[in-house]
Amino acid sequence: KTDVLNFLENKIQFSQTAIANEWDIDNDTLSKWFLAFYGENVFEGRKRINLSEYLKIFSDFFLIENDEKRETLEYMIPEDQLDFYNSVAIKGKTYSKKDIIEECFNPDENPSPRQYAEAKKILSSKFNYYSELNKFPPSIAFKLIDELKKYI
């Protein structure tokens, strides 16, 4: 089992371009995601990452952190995570600023310029990457949504 895992770890590798294409974003946006989440680009000085690094990144961007208090593996989505996964299924791989603002204000209408300005003021003060990004992975988008809902 260990030999197979080591083999896969060394043979299955991913480029930044391949990951960006898979997630329907460009390389520049993916680099900004890495900077926002990790403080550095994981591809800095490298052309490829291995399987375990890819799985970690995917988990960080597209899954809710595991509750370390749970000792058993559950196959049902916990109730407190239903909104997250339901929204991911509906919205897709990325969230725009409009998507984030709609989640907090009125989802049935287009956000107004005032709502964009209010959201920018609130979110830019806590998340310095907010102004630099136009698309966000679900895990970052939900942090932004949770923060914005505190003020609405």
Side-chain angles (χ1 to χ4, degrees), residues 107-144:
D108 297 327
E109 297 177 12
N110 284 328
S112 70
R114 181 194 60 76
Q115 290 168 327
Y116 276 103
E118 188 177 340
K120 181 178 180 180
K121 180 181 174 186
I122 292 167
L123 296 175
S124 293
S125 67
K126 184 161 183 175
F127 305 99
N128 58 354
Y129 54 80
Y130 178 77
S131 296
E132 298 174 23
L133 289 168
N134 292 319
K135 291 182 177 183
F136 302 87
S139 64
I140 293 176
F142 266 71
K143 286 179 187 175
L144 298 170

Side-chain angles (χ1 to χ4, degrees), residues 74-91:
E74 295 181 23
Y75 293 100
M76 299 293 289
I77 296 174
E79 192 172 325
D80 64 335
Q81 298 176 1
L82 282 176
D83 286 345
F84 176 85
Y85 290 109
N86 185 38
S87 186
V88 170
I90 292 168
K91 295 282 187 193

Side-chain angles (χ1 to χ4, degrees), residues 3 9-10 15 24 26 37 49 52-55 61 63 71 75 82 89 92 108 111 116 131 133 135:
D3 290 340
E9 181 71 14
N10 293 320
S15 70
D24 297 328
D26 58 32
F37 200 89
I49 60 170
S52 62
E53 291 169 315
Y54 172 83
L55 293 174
F61 289 162
L63 303 175
E71 294 180 12
Y75 293 100
L82 282 176
D108 297 327
Y116 276 103
S131 296
L133 289 168
K135 291 182 177 183

